[in-house]
Amino acid sequence: MSPRAEATLDAPRAPVGWPAWRLRDAVIAGELGVREVVRAHLDRLDEVEPWLNAAAAIRRESALAEATDLETRLAGGEQPGALCGVPVTVKDVIATAGTPTACGSPAFAGNVPEVDAVAVGRLRAAGAIVIAKTRCPEFAFGVTTPGTRSPWGAHSPGGSSGGEAALIAAGASAVGIGTDYGGSLRWPAQCCGVLALRPGAGALDGTGQLPGRGGRMDGRPGAPGPDSVQRHFQVIGPIGRTVRDLAIVLATLGARQLPAAGPQEAGGDSGGLRERRIGWVPGEDSERVGDDARAALAGAVGALADAGLNVEPAPGSLDGLHVAFNA
């Protein structure tokens, strides 16, 4: 890591760096105020942003006002949501009402959506506070995020959800949402040392991705049309620092077929997973998988089997997909 990165990205001070579930529990218990939590993350964002350049827009005043309003409602007896008081970030291709959403493109500079994407609306309804929009390559096409750095030095944070992964890894956001077409959640997560999950196509409502499906932006230059491949396969999904946080966000966004018991602590009930089959594939036929990756996968498979889950090999099920994807 470069000296500048080390100086800029010192370990965050509590409650910054806590997982989303812990922040929510602290707010509900009265240990922390919503405004206190949001301000701490905005301060961390100000601290790391000169190095990262990961935020496309920062909602400081709006986020603090929303935090104050939520505190008032909680004091009045409102039931806390699953992400009550949690600061979140949103990728620049997901519509956020009243906040610039430019899709990483000069063509949409100054675009301010009038309504939230469905996913953003559900985060807000669960008590989350959006503190920033995050940078991505133009129209979310690319494996790097131009101009954005990793928290771990002068490296790429990956793409296309690179800004999202960088801010979460740096502790400036508790959890967030990005999009994934061919790895745009998973690749930046591994580049920055955090976690992400691509839901299956159709598992979540993707309405509100921009340039939009049937929306007023579709006619502008460079916008993929409503019947493009991107519209069919690009999905919205979570990025976070713990598996439990990912599960909470997925449930909040309305993911189908999640275990009814919700996120579990290690060693707890599997929430119905023991009745399901989990397939695994050691690789596919066009790209060699490194020995370290194979070893990590084998370890995960063994751990799942030891936990009593039904894990079965599915050899050949991915053969040809890499070639087809790049065709």
Side-chain angles (χ1 to χ4, degrees), residues 56-57 88-96 117 120 123 130-135 164 173 175-178:
V88 303
T89 40
V90 176
K91 188 177 179 179
D92 195 32
V93 293
I94 303 174
T96 310
V120 174
L123 292 178
V130 178
I131 62 171
K133 301 300 295 289
T134 53
R135 294 188 184 276
E164 196 64 44
S173 173
V175 74
I177 54 172

Side-chain angles (χ1 to χ4, degrees), residues 278-284 289 294 297 301 312-319:
I278 300 174
W280 71 279
V281 183
E284 55 92 46
V289 178
R294 287 179 180 271
L297 177 61
V301 169
E312 300 179 2
S317 60
L318 298 181
D319 288 354

Side-chain angles (χ1 to χ4, degrees), residues 27-28 32-41 63-64 66-72 74 84-87 127-129:
V27 167
I28 294 174
L32 295 170
V34 179
R35 190 176 175 90
E36 178 184 4
V37 171
V38 170
R39 185 184 292 279
H41 284 79
L64 289 171
E66 290 166 12
T68 300
D69 178 65
L70 179 56
E71 285 186 341
T72 301
L74 291 172
C84 181
V86 175
I129 307 292

Side-chain angles (χ1 to χ4, degrees), residues 145-167:
T145 302
T148 299
R149 294 184 177 95
S150 163
W152 309 117
H155 307 291
S156 170
S160 61
S161 303
E164 196 64 44
L167 284 183

Side-chain angles (χ1 to χ4, degrees), residues 219-233:
R220 298 189 184 184
D227 294 322
S228 69
V229 173
Q230 183 189 19
R231 290 297 105 204
H232 288 287
F233 293 104

Side-chain angles (χ1 to χ4, degrees), residues 91 137 140-143 158-162 178-189 196 198 234 239:
K91 188 177 179 179
F141 281 120
V143 296
S160 61
S161 303
T179 61
D180 193 305
Y181 172 49
S184 286
L185 284 164
R186 297 156 288 167
W187 171 245
R198 174 198 160 95
Q234 182 166 285
I239 300 182

